[in-house]
Amino acid sequence: MATAEPRVPGRRALRALLLTVAVFSFACDACKKVIFNVPPKLEADKIVGRVNLKECLRSADLIQSGDPDFRVLDDGSVYTASPVVLSDEKRSFTIWLSDTKTQTQKEIKVLLEHQKKVLRKRHTKEAVLRRSKRRWAPIPCSMLENSLGPFPLFLQQVQSDAAQNYTIFYSISGRGVDQEPLNLFFIERDTGNLYCTRPVDREEYDVFDLIAYASTADGYSADLPLPLPIRVEDENDNHPIFTEAIYNFEVPESSKLGTTVGVVCATDRDEPDTMHTRLKYSILEQTPRSPGLFSVHPSTGVITTVTHYLDRETVDKYSLIMKVQDMDGQNFGLVGTSTCIITVKDSNDNAPTFKQNTYEASVEENAYNVEILRIPIEDKDLINTANWRANFTILKGNENEHFKISTDKETNEGVLYVVKPLNYEENHQVILEIGVGNEAPFTRDVALRMTTMNRALVTVHVRDQDEGPECSPAAQYIRITENAAVGSKINGYKAYDPETKSSNHLRYKKLNDPKGWITIDEISGSIITSKILDREAMAPRNELYNITVLAIDQDGKSCTGTLAVSIEDMNDNPPEVLQSYVTVCKPKMKYTDISAVDPDEPIHGAPFYFSLANTSPETNKIWTLTKVNAVLLTLVCGVVGAKKRKGFPEDLAQQNLIISNTEAPGDDKVCSANGFMTQTVNNSGQGFCGTMGSGVKNGGQETIEMVKGGHQTLESCRGTGHHHTLDSCRGGPTEVDNCRYTYSEWHSFTQPRLGEKLHLCNQNEDHVPSQDYVLTYNYEGRGSPAGSVGCCSEKQEEDGLDFLNNLGAKFTTLAETCTKR
């Protein structure tokens, strides 16, 4: 009778079967004898029991069975190798354990026994007696899936203790009896023998929870219903299956030894945590076959590299046939397969190389933005990737930045350009050193192997070209003294022929001369003054005078340069007093400052010498000049009416419309510009004022005209034709009748103007009253000894009232007063 391939049940089946056959082992003498209780008949590939190999010889690496009908697995499980019938009640064999390293050997005696079934007779006509306690005595039951029979297959006998005293009838219910799958189990009514009618698939039904009943002939329940689970023991009848028919993984070619490529996984429908589902992975085949580059972990399915070097340029794709086998990979385990495609990704492990070491190119001088050479390279990395695309660099020879190199994205060639004109006369040829790399960095291994960048030499020949004259430097400087005589000849701009380094045969023309001061000699380029040069006529004065010159060669080619002329200063300008006139009024205003400037250079300027034009004793008694610094002096009024010393007042701080002199009695003093007394004059009985006007110039100095206090008329005040202060006519008795204008005329002229100014002042402030000393002046009558203010406000001298434009906030009160009137 032929036998099928051995099939080994799992752990759950082992536990159930050991309970079923009442396995006993003697742990204290495990190496001597193990007893298994078994049925008289055993099918092939059925578990008999398990021995504890570790307690006998933990280091055993060789296990052998003394009976060919039985085999022993590594975990100590004992299986039938073929169908076994126990003709006698007992059968024994030996298990040998060996440690080949230490040459140690031990043996285990295995004894198989079978037990006969005994049926007790039951008495059926006894009276029913109630018992305080009833109990059942079923043995846990299990059956093997896919059993071959014969059917009906006896499973076990169910017995009730009540059968000792009564006639008991047995029945069952549950899935497999009166529920799907129907009629799978039945029980003999009288004996309690439980049978299965056909094979069962554990993957469909792993347990049947039946309920057993025991009752008397009259229907009395002799015991409570008994739960009777029947477990279906697993058989290794399912092949492991990979989760994917085809796996696709990628790995960089620069991967190191042990790099994880991917993970494969398989499932098995058999019972978990048994040998039937203990899977082991392996690689059946690799394409290309050699060399073996990958391995798989037998338990986890993790695929890793087993080499330091993957070369995409040699093989860019591998195909692996993956195998998975249950029973922990033993040869009788079931097998599943799958395909794994591994693509090797490109890494920058190949440096670009030049096809030759030297190249030559040529270009005309003065040409620029032109392509002069294409340099091809080779790179084995994946085309059109950053690992393949080249980066070119000019390492040497381009210090003056005449060249540029870029990469043609289509051909990966280096394209060399001239971007700044070359000069044949300076250099007939240029040697460039070109380097090449990739856009992506090299892998570490390649970077370590490369001591220097791949390089090539390019010799660029410069072709000569007729360039025309060269104006270099673009700006040339000369010096000319101002006021130089017309016709003076000075060296001018010089250009040269770059090929001959000579200025011969060049002609010059003037393109621009801002003031037309010079002409240019066409042959020599020298310049000739055609006008008197005036340094002070330039604006700004210290700037260079630029002349644009054109140089032309015999072929009509030209260049343009600038002749920058520095005009040297001469002392040809007298100093000038800045003020056209100044006014000094006594007593509050005691001095004024006079400034002078000189348009010449500072060396011809300050310090200046100041003096009064009229140096008569009378003038010297009244006026003094005090030097403040090199460009500035102070004109001091000599008579000051005051009772005690005090410095010169600041008229701006007083903020009066018109400065009035003090008429109080006291000693008059002559003070210097710094406010200290210089001399005393015995003419305190009369006040006076003076005006420095723009009258007659004498040697660059303006005369100072004095109007002395005393018997003066208004006409004499107006005699100079210039503006005067309010007190310019103050002094002794004055003939008012002789003045040209009457008070009414002066009043009608000044009153509207003063009112307008004060009104504007009032509109621009916060209307805060100020303590001011400005009062309204009334007409004092004809012939008043005080004189009239009309002489200070002539109609033709409206500029004399310009100070009204600068009135401050303190005039608000006066403005309001005038407005109300």
Side-chain angles (χ1 to χ4, degrees):
M1 176 177 175
T3 58
E5 183 180 352
R7 297 179 181 178
V8 182
R11 292 179 180 176
R12 291 179 59 189
L14 289 176
R15 289 195 298 270
L17 185 58
L18 289 175
L19 291 173
T20 303
V21 298
V23 176
F24 298 96
S25 64
F26 300 95
C28 61
D29 196 15
C31 287
K32 294 181 179 180
K33 183 181 290 185
V34 176
I35 300 175
F36 295 136
N37 286 338
V38 296
K41 295 181 180 179
L42 294 173
E43 298 179 2
D45 300 325
K46 300 300 180 182
I47 189 170
V48 177
R50 180 178 295 172
V51 296
N52 194 336
L53 302 180
K54 292 183 179 180
E55 290 187 2
C56 184
L57 183 61
R58 180 178 297 273
S59 60
D61 55 5
L62 180 61
I63 304 173
Q64 294 176 312
S65 173
D67 190 334
D69 287 339
F70 299 92
R71 65 171 178 267
V72 184
L73 302 184
D74 294 341
D75 62 352
S77 299
V78 180
Y79 282 83
T80 55
S82 59
V84 176
V85 178
L86 299 181
S87 57
D88 299 328
E89 291 184 359
K90 296 182 180 181
R91 181 172 175 174
S92 63
F93 64 93
T94 304
I95 299 175
W96 284 283
L97 305 178
S98 300
D99 185 343
T100 57
K101 294 182 180 179
T102 62
Q103 299 297 318
T104 303
Q105 188 177 49
K106 291 189 178 183
E107 64 179 29
I108 301 175
K109 293 292 186 178
V110 179
L111 179 62
L112 304 179
E113 294 181 349
H114 67 85
Q115 184 177 9
K116 297 181 180 179
K117 298 179 181 179
V118 178
L119 300 178
R120 297 177 181 178
K121 296 181 180 180
R122 296 170 177 80
H123 305 281
T124 59
K125 296 184 179 180
E126 295 183 11
V128 176
L129 298 177
R130 293 277 184 180
R131 292 191 179 188
S132 60
K133 183 178 181 181
R134 302 280 184 185
R135 63 184 180 88
W136 290 74
I139 299 175
C141 181
S142 65
M143 60 178 293
L144 189 65
E145 71 167 329
N146 303 322
S147 175
L148 297 178
F151 295 100
L153 179 66
F154 172 77
L155 298 179
Q156 71 169 356
Q157 186 182 34
V158 178
Q159 289 183 323
S160 172
D161 290 346
Q164 296 177 2
N165 301 313
Y166 311 104
T167 299
I168 298 299
F169 298 104
Y170 298 95
S171 62
I172 56 174
S173 66
R175 190 174 64 173
V177 181
D178 53 1
Q179 301 174 24
E180 291 292 340
L182 296 173
N183 302 320
L184 179 61
F185 302 100
F186 72 91
I187 192 170
E188 288 183 341
R189 183 169 179 267
D190 297 326
T191 65
N193 290 336
L194 181 64
Y195 294 92
C196 177
T197 61
R198 58 184 181 271
V200 178
D201 184 5
R202 189 205 68 85
E203 284 69 47
E204 186 175 4
Y205 303 103
D206 60 345
V207 65
F208 293 93
D209 293 316
L210 304 181
I211 304 296
Y213 305 94
S215 59
T216 60
D218 57 0
Y220 176 77
S221 296
D223 275 304
L224 294 174
L226 173 68
L228 185 62
I230 301 177
R231 299 187 180 279
V232 181
E233 297 298 335
D234 185 46
E235 183 183 29
N236 192 18
D237 59 342
N238 288 279
H239 290 260
I241 300 174
F242 281 99
T243 56
E244 301 286 344
I246 298 177
Y247 291 91
N248 289 282
F249 301 124
E250 291 182 342
V251 60
E253 64 175 325
S254 58
S255 299
K256 306 301 179 185
L257 176 67
T259 300
T260 298
V261 177
V263 181
V264 294
C265 183
T267 59
D268 195 317
R269 295 183 62 211
D270 289 320
E271 187 172 3
D273 301 323
T274 66
M275 292 291 289
H276 299 164
T277 54
R278 185 177 295 177
L279 307 181
K280 189 172 185 178
Y281 300 93
S282 60
I283 299 176
L284 279 181
E285 182 181 340
Q286 172 186 301
T287 304
R289 293 182 179 274
S290 179
L293 302 178
F294 307 97
S295 68
V296 63
H297 191 281
S299 300
T300 62
V302 176
I303 300 174
T304 56
T305 60
V306 293
T307 180
H308 287 283
Y309 184 69
L310 288 172
D311 189 5
R312 185 205 66 86
E313 289 71 40
T314 302
V315 178
D316 63 351
K317 189 171 292 186
Y318 292 89
S319 176
L320 304 180
I321 303 299
M322 305 302 300
K323 170 187 172 183
V324 62
Q325 190 170 20
D326 60 17
M327 298 303 291
D328 200 25
Q330 298 189 72
N331 56 5
F332 52 83
L334 301 180
V335 175
T337 60
S338 178
T339 301
C340 180
I341 305 298
I342 300 177
T343 301
V344 181
K345 294 171 59 180
D346 185 48
S347 298
N348 194 13
D349 58 346
N350 290 278
T353 58
F354 290 103
K355 291 187 176 181
Q356 58 192 64
N357 295 327
T358 60
Y359 298 87
E360 290 192 4
S362 63
V363 63
E364 287 191 356
E365 66 172 335
N366 301 321
Y368 63 97
N369 291 337
V370 293
E371 175 186 324
I372 62 172
L373 182 66
R374 284 184 168 259
I375 307 174
I377 57 104
E378 292 180 344
D379 196 317
K380 295 180 181 179
D381 290 316
L382 187 62
I383 192 171
N384 291 326
T385 65
N387 300 330
W388 173 82
R389 287 191 288 269
N391 269 347
F392 293 88
T393 306
I394 302 177
L395 301 175
K396 292 182 182 178
N398 193 33
E399 289 75 15
N400 295 324
E401 299 181 348
H402 289 285
F403 301 92
K404 179 188 77 172
I405 191 167
S406 61
T407 304
D408 188 318
K409 300 300 183 183
E410 299 294 330
T411 64
N412 214 28
E413 295 175 312
V415 184
L416 185 63
Y417 296 89
V418 173
V419 294
K420 193 164 86 172
L422 292 161
N423 192 334
Y424 174 83
E425 287 71 32
E426 293 180 359
N427 210 341
H428 294 352
Q429 70 178 23
V430 180
I431 298 177
L432 304 176
E433 186 175 356
I434 308 296
V436 65
N438 289 123
E439 288 184 2
F442 293 116
T443 59
R444 185 174 182 272
D445 291 341
V446 176
L448 291 175
R449 293 197 305 266
M450 292 180 60
T451 56
T452 59
M453 180 183 288
N454 198 356
R455 305 172 182 224
L457 295 179
V458 177
T459 301
V460 180
H461 301 280
V462 183
R463 297 195 298 268
D464 188 23
Q465 187 182 38
D466 185 10
E467 306 171 73
E470 183 169 333
C471 292
S472 178
Q476 299 178 13
Y477 299 85
I478 64 171
R479 298 177 68 87
I480 304 177
T481 303
E482 72 170 328
N483 300 326
V486 175
S488 299
K489 190 172 184 179
I490 305 98
N491 289 335
Y493 194 89
K494 285 294 182 182
Y496 67 94
D497 189 325
E499 298 174 1
T500 64
K501 303 297 182 182
S502 170
S503 297
N504 297 333
H505 310 298
L506 296 181
R507 295 179 295 112
Y508 298 91
K509 287 186 178 181
K510 182 178 71 171
L511 291 182
N512 184 40
D513 178 8
K515 294 188 177 294
W517 283 346
I518 63 100
T519 59
I520 190 166
D521 187 280
E522 184 177 4
I523 303 301
S524 66
S526 300
I527 61 172
I528 304 165
T529 59
S530 58
K531 295 180 181 179
I532 299 294
L533 277 65
D534 185 4
R535 187 191 70 87
E536 289 73 37
M538 295 176 57
R541 295 176 180 175
N542 294 327
E543 291 292 327
L544 295 173
Y545 183 71
N546 293 326
I547 302 169
T548 307
V549 178
L550 181 70
I552 310 169
D553 66 4
Q554 293 178 338
D555 297 327
K557 296 183 178 180
S558 63
C559 67
T560 302
T562 299
L563 189 63
V565 181
S566 175
I567 302 177
E568 297 182 351
D569 182 47
M570 297 293 290
N571 191 12
D572 58 345
N573 290 280
E576 297 178 3
V577 177
L578 292 178
Q579 301 93 329
S580 59
Y581 62 87
V582 294
T583 300
V584 179
C585 290
K586 180 182 178 297
K588 288 190 176 182
M589 185 177 178
K590 303 176 181 64
Y591 69 94
T592 188
D593 291 333
I594 301 174
S595 301
V597 295
D598 193 321
D600 290 322
E601 289 285 350
I603 193 174
H604 298 138
F608 302 129
Y609 171 75
F610 295 88
S611 64
L612 295 174
N614 184 359
T615 58
S616 64
E618 181 71 15
T619 301
N620 290 336
K621 289 180 180 181
I622 302 173
W623 302 99
T624 61
L625 290 175
T626 300
K627 184 176 181 180
V628 178
N629 51 40
V631 295
L632 179 66
L633 63 81
T634 299
L635 177 64
V636 183
C637 182
V639 179
V640 181
K643 291 186 179 181
K644 54 184 176 180
R645 295 183 184 178
K646 57 181 178 180
F648 293 107
E650 290 285 346
D651 52 352
L652 290 178
Q654 298 295 327
Q655 293 189 352
N656 295 325
L657 287 178
I658 300 176
I659 304 300
S660 299
N661 290 330
T662 302
E663 299 183 4
D667 294 335
D668 294 330
K669 297 175 176 61
V670 178
C671 301
S672 63
N674 55 14
F676 294 101
M677 182 181 68
T678 57
Q679 61 180 351
T680 303
V681 183
N682 294 323
N683 57 353
S684 59
Q686 297 178 346
F688 64 91
C689 64
T691 300
M692 177 180 174
S694 57
V696 181
K697 283 191 176 181
N698 183 10
Q701 299 289 337
E702 292 188 355
T703 60
I704 300 177
E705 300 198 10
M706 310 299 296
V707 180
K708 189 168 186 282
H711 297 279
Q712 302 291 333
T713 63
L714 288 177
E715 192 65 23
S716 65
C717 295
R718 301 183 60 230
T720 58
H722 298 287
H723 172 72
H724 298 277
T725 61
L726 185 65
D727 287 289
S728 61
C729 295
R730 293 287 303 274
T734 305
E735 293 294 332
V736 181
D737 293 340
N738 295 330
C739 290
R740 178 172 298 178
Y741 299 105
T742 65
Y743 169 77
S744 60
E745 292 175 320
W746 172 83
H747 185 273
S748 63
F749 173 75
T750 59
Q751 202 67 10
R753 290 167 174 77
L754 182 59
E756 179 183 358
K757 299 299 182 182
L758 294 177
H759 175 71
L760 292 176
C761 175
N762 183 41
Q763 296 300 317
N764 293 332
E765 297 298 331
D766 298 327
H767 308 285
V768 179
S770 61
Q771 295 181 359
D772 232 292
Y773 300 98
V774 180
L775 301 175
T776 303
Y777 284 86
N778 293 324
Y779 178 62
E780 298 180 8
R782 296 176 61 87
S784 172
S788 174
V789 298
C791 63
C792 295
S793 302
E794 300 175 35
K795 291 182 180 180
Q796 68 272 22
E797 294 292 331
E798 292 188 6
D799 290 339
L801 298 177
D802 287 342
F803 68 95
L804 295 176
N805 292 320
N806 301 315
L807 296 178
K810 292 186 178 182
F811 288 90
T812 303
T813 304
L814 181 59
E816 292 176 349
T817 303
C818 294
T819 303
K820 290 178 181 179
R821 289 181 180 180

